[in-house]
Amino acid sequence: MIIYEDICKKTCDIAKQAGSFIAEQRKSFDQSQVEHKGVHDLVSYVDKEAERLIISNLRNVLPEAGFIAEEGTGNVKGEKYNWIIDPLDGTTNFIQGIPTYAVSIALMEDDTLVVGVVYEIGQNECFYAWKNGGAFLNGNRIHVSDKSDLNLSLLATGFPYRFFDRLESYLVFLKWILQNSRGVRRIGSAATDLAYVACGRFEAFWEYGLGTWDVAAGALLIKEAGGVVTDFEGGDKFITGKDILASNSYLHNIILEKIKKYIS
């Protein structure tokens, strides 16, 4: 039987190593090194090398585990344990020199999230959690906010850049939320957004068109910090269903009701 806390702390060290590599590469990064995985979907050698570094080190932590990683540099499915990795969440920010991007690493045991780490490189902030162990930021316990008034709440989202089938209804919902909240931020890194919900900087975050690696670690952070995470139908398919609503719990139902009305 593995000890989740020990695994989590080792994962934090690995995330920080990858973060140091990414930060160093940013100093001399040339945009001519960018590749296109698809329309508006960018990647660079930095993403790929950071992923290789992470996978290589994680193999020593839990040799029997498989890997589900965004860039696919070492993907192989494990029978019981699987690491879920986004080596550089916020690639467009990184490429453009906007200092918000993160390393996101989660561990699943069967279908359960048991470890989650988000290392936000620009602020040197390591968010981490393990199953039934609580959530932490740089060694300090964190909790979601206790705001229950939407009009006093600061929210976060991401705008679709590939899948535009729900764009019009999304904008209708966005208009409503802007009129009924303190504001909406679009940082450009879903992992960071989720971490910020976990520590109470945002009251809620929602987005669609995401990958498993975008949300896995952050979802565990929020759950262990006392929040709620669902898909747009209020179910538990946020890991594989490509849409997510995460909140401090107090605002979840009112936002979910409007998402169902306008977007779903």
Side-chain angles (χ1 to χ4, degrees), residues 191-204:
T192 303
D193 287 320
L194 291 165
Y196 284 6
V197 173
C199 71
R201 294 173 186 170
F202 295 141
E203 275 62 59

Side-chain angles (χ1 to χ4, degrees), residues 19-77:
S20 295
F21 166 76
I22 291 167
E24 188 63 29
Q25 295 302 308
R26 186 64 195 81
K27 295 176 183 178
S28 58
F29 186 77
D30 185 339
Q31 290 200 21
S32 67
Q33 299 166 309
V34 174
E35 302 172 30
H36 290 259
K37 294 190 289 185
V39 177
H40 308 148
D41 194 3
L42 308 178
V43 68
S44 76
Y45 77 92
V46 179
D47 302 68
K48 295 176 181 179
E49 288 303 316
E51 186 171 286
R52 291 188 183 99
L53 183 157
I54 292 166
I55 290 174
S56 175
N57 287 322
L58 288 176
R59 283 198 176 106
N60 298 323
V61 174
L62 197 61
E64 66 267 36
F67 296 93
I68 302 169
E70 181 175 17
E71 308 310 332
T73 61
N75 285 359
V76 58
K77 191 73 181 293

Side-chain angles (χ1 to χ4, degrees), residues 5 22 30 49 87 93 128 130 149 182-183 198 254 257 260:
E5 181 178 359
I22 291 167
D30 185 339
E49 288 303 316
N93 283 355
Y128 56 97
W130 62 90
D149 186 340
R182 181 166 283 174
I254 185 172
E257 176 187 349
K260 288 180 176 180

Side-chain angles (χ1 to χ4, degrees), residues 89-108:
D89 188 65
T91 296
T92 300
N93 283 355
F94 172 84
I95 290 168
Q96 295 290 134
I98 299 168
T100 304
Y101 35 88
V103 177
S104 178
I105 306 172
L107 178 64
M108 291 195 79

